[in-house]
Amino acid sequence: MTVKGFYRQLLQDIGVDDQEIKDARSRRDELRAKLATAVSAYSSAVETFPSGALAAGLQIAPLNDIDVVVTVPNFLPGWWETPMQAMFDVRS
């Protein structure tokens, strides 16, 4: 097998189907909206943005995770000292 052939086969083996990518981005955007709503109950000026391989278009199969960043500029007292409390608050 040539180097070119090997690379072509590798890309085919690790490639993610276009529909799977579309579905993953849709699920990620739903999660972003839910996170923004949940965190906004505790803080103002909350923003979210996609991150990671899916956002950069560098995803490989199997596609089994997404990355989202949530910025919380005005957080509750205690969140800085106990980040787990922020997770508990938002999950509730």
Side-chain angles (χ1 to χ4, degrees):
M1 176 181 287
T2 66
V3 172
K4 193 176 206 178
F6 172 79
Y7 185 65
R8 186 176 295 125
Q9 183 63 46
L10 176 65
L11 291 177
Q12 184 177 350
D13 291 347
I14 65 172
V16 179
D17 177 81
D18 289 342
Q19 186 60 47
E20 186 177 355
I21 292 170
K22 183 178 176 183
D23 292 345
R25 287 184 175 148
S26 178
R27 288 190 307 271
R28 177 202 59 204
D29 292 342
E30 289 172 14
L31 174 62
R32 285 179 58 203
K34 287 180 181 182
L35 282 167
T37 299
V39 178
S40 291
Y42 297 95
S43 176
S44 61
V46 172
E47 294 185 41
T48 68
F49 59 91
S51 182
L54 184 62
L58 301 172
Q59 65 284 332
I60 61 172
L63 181 58
N64 55 16
D65 74 310
I66 58 164
D67 301 290
V68 174
V69 173
V70 180
T71 62
V72 185
N74 306 307
F75 47 85
L76 291 180
W79 280 15
W80 183 261
E81 297 81 13
T82 313
M84 190 62 91
Q85 185 61 48
M87 301 279 291
F88 288 132
D89 290 343
V90 171
R91 279 184 25 196
S92 68

